[in-house]
Amino acid sequence: MPSTFTKSFAERLDRLCAPKVKEAEDGDRLQIGQIYLAPGGERHMEVANAMAPRCLLSEGGPVNGHRPSVDVLFDSVVKVAGKKAVGVILTGMGRDGAAGLLRMRQAGAETIGQNEKTCVVYGMPRVAKELGGVCHEFPLNSIGEEILRLTTTTSRKDRVA
């Protein structure tokens, strides 16, 4: 998404969703109940610092033709949270995020892909599924509930999404 769009998109989502939604800023401390949207444009979004996770916006070159790249984000989550993470890939063109989701699954994370029926474009979730990166596939309207289930059940309270 272009940088001119992501801030207003985050603000719109914040009005529509129960969790707080914001465009991520470099150094934002990750908070429970907060959704961080990668800013469009020229920087990748990563998660850094396992003891006090924070958003890191980095200047690296495009990955899979994208900046920000979902693979860059997912790879940072593997380093910081490993098997404690929950990764989700939603509708979208191309393959960005598919390999990163696979690496999350290989690290022991729970992974979710949006099902074909509810995708506008079944590109990214399809590639992730074909690579073996998707543990569970759900319709869009069930994914939020599944994330909550995976991160709040007694055996999974150490998971982060």
Side-chain angles (χ1 to χ4, degrees):
M1 289 185 260
S3 57
T4 55
F5 179 73
T6 52
K7 185 169 179 62
S8 62
F9 183 54
E11 290 168 354
R12 180 171 177 253
L13 288 174
D14 187 51
R15 289 189 301 273
L16 297 172
C17 298
K20 301 292 274 173
V21 180
K22 72 174 298 247
E23 184 179 54
E25 296 176 50
D26 192 45
D28 276 349
R29 186 158 192 270
L30 299 185
Q31 305 274 335
I32 293 171
Q34 178 82 47
I35 296 170
Y36 302 87
L37 183 69
E42 301 301 315
R43 298 188 291 173
H44 293 293
M45 185 168 83
E46 301 177 63
V47 176
N49 189 346
M51 299 308 288
R54 296 183 179 280
C55 289
L56 172 67
L57 301 179
S58 63
E59 300 289 333
V63 174
N64 301 317
H66 301 282
R67 188 174 45 210
S69 165
V70 183
D71 276 332
V72 171
L73 174 62
F74 285 171
D75 287 342
S76 73
V77 170
V78 168
K79 292 176 192 169
V80 172
K83 67 181 181 181
K84 295 180 180 181
V86 175
V88 179
I89 194 159
L90 302 175
T91 187
M93 266 191 283
R95 60 183 311 109
D96 188 38
L101 195 71
L102 174 61
R103 289 187 284 274
M104 286 183 70
R105 184 171 187 191
Q106 290 169 335
E110 294 281 350
T111 60
I112 299 169
Q114 184 177 350
N115 72 352
E116 182 175 10
K117 186 176 181 179
T118 63
C119 281
V120 174
V121 178
Y122 188 57
M124 293 161 57
R126 177 187 51 79
V127 175
K129 183 179 179 180
E130 289 172 353
L131 290 176
V134 175
C135 296
H136 314 283
E137 202 173 43
F138 293 102
L140 181 60
N141 65 350
S142 300
I143 291 175
E145 184 179 321
E146 184 63 13
I147 292 169
L148 288 173
R149 187 188 72 74
L150 289 169
T151 58
T152 58
T153 59
T154 305
S155 63
R156 305 284 188 187
K157 282 192 177 180
D158 62 343
R159 293 232 186 237
V160 292

